[in-house]
Amino acid sequence: MDYRECCRMGQEMLEGAGIREGALEARLLLEHVCGTDHNTLLAHGDRPVSPREEKLYLQALEKRRERRPLQHITGRQEFMGLSFEVGEDVLIPRQDTEILVEEVLRQLQDGMRVLDLCTGSGCILISLLHYNNWCEGVGTDLSQRALEVAERNAGRLLEPDKKWSFLQGDLFAPVEGKFDFIVANPPYIKTRELEELMPEVRDYEPRLALDGGEDGLDFYRRIIGESGEYLMSGGRLYFEVGWDQGDAVRTLMEKAGYQEVEVVRDYAGLDRVVCGICLPGRKGVFENV
Ligand code: GLN
């Protein structure tokens, strides 16, 4: 079979399994196996595919037909223009999360210290450090295996003079000192909704990275409640939130004493980021979450 025929066959196999973007995904899997890029289909569709490549391609298609995420097969996901290693131990970085990174980048200045809770693949922290000259970054996660992925991503994507560390533990537990910014894309799916997720997410992505408790807000409550101790005066807290959680998280932050709390929408017009400024020292601040 030549390259173009392989693409067409893959598309049919994937569409037959109910995968909507079969043409795109078949092409990406073929490129992964052959080490090629989009140009090959456009300009060299008659390139022969070797029996070994064809075998690997069929194996990849078979995995995808079982609804394993494409990114678990290729081992990669682009985020903020950087190529992150991903796998079953981390949440696959989502394009929506770029909104959070862009909001933080608007305010981030050289010399600042940033904490990324539930860091997973490290995509948020690493992007922030990559697009700044000199900031110090700390990422924490409960999962040691996730942190191993984050470490490899940072080692590959960050210049050696950048200052970063990844620490294992529950939210703030392994952290010392205060930060200018705290950012988090915590698990925020309601427990009872986990079973309704698409199979790629439900069956293959880590539950630890998804389950936000009964109302999906468990981590926001905990992080907001503890954040006052770890933010410098005038420091900022940034969250990614689910499309229906903007008001709830805004209220939690305001009740805790955060100032200038803002809900930022994504390109689809849905609530995506909530952020606010911590000005401790005012009466009642951080006492009644
Ligand atoms: N911080 C990582 C991301 O945004 C992981 C988030 C998580 O595991 N909930 O992709």
Side-chain angles (χ1 to χ4, degrees), residues 91-94 97 116-121 123-124 141 185-187 209:
L91 190 81
I92 299 167
R94 306 298 207 263
T97 307
D116 176 27
L117 300 167
C118 313
T119 196
S121 64
C123 63
I124 297 174
D141 204 288
N185 174 22

Side-chain angles (χ1 to χ4, degrees), residues 19-20 29 50 55 70 103 105 107 127 136 158 196:
I19 292 161
R20 223 165 15 105
L29 287 175
S50 73
K55 186 166 162 236
L70 179 89
E103 277 305 307
L105 283 174
Q107 305 291 343
S127 304
E136 182 190 342
L158 293 179
E196 296 158 21

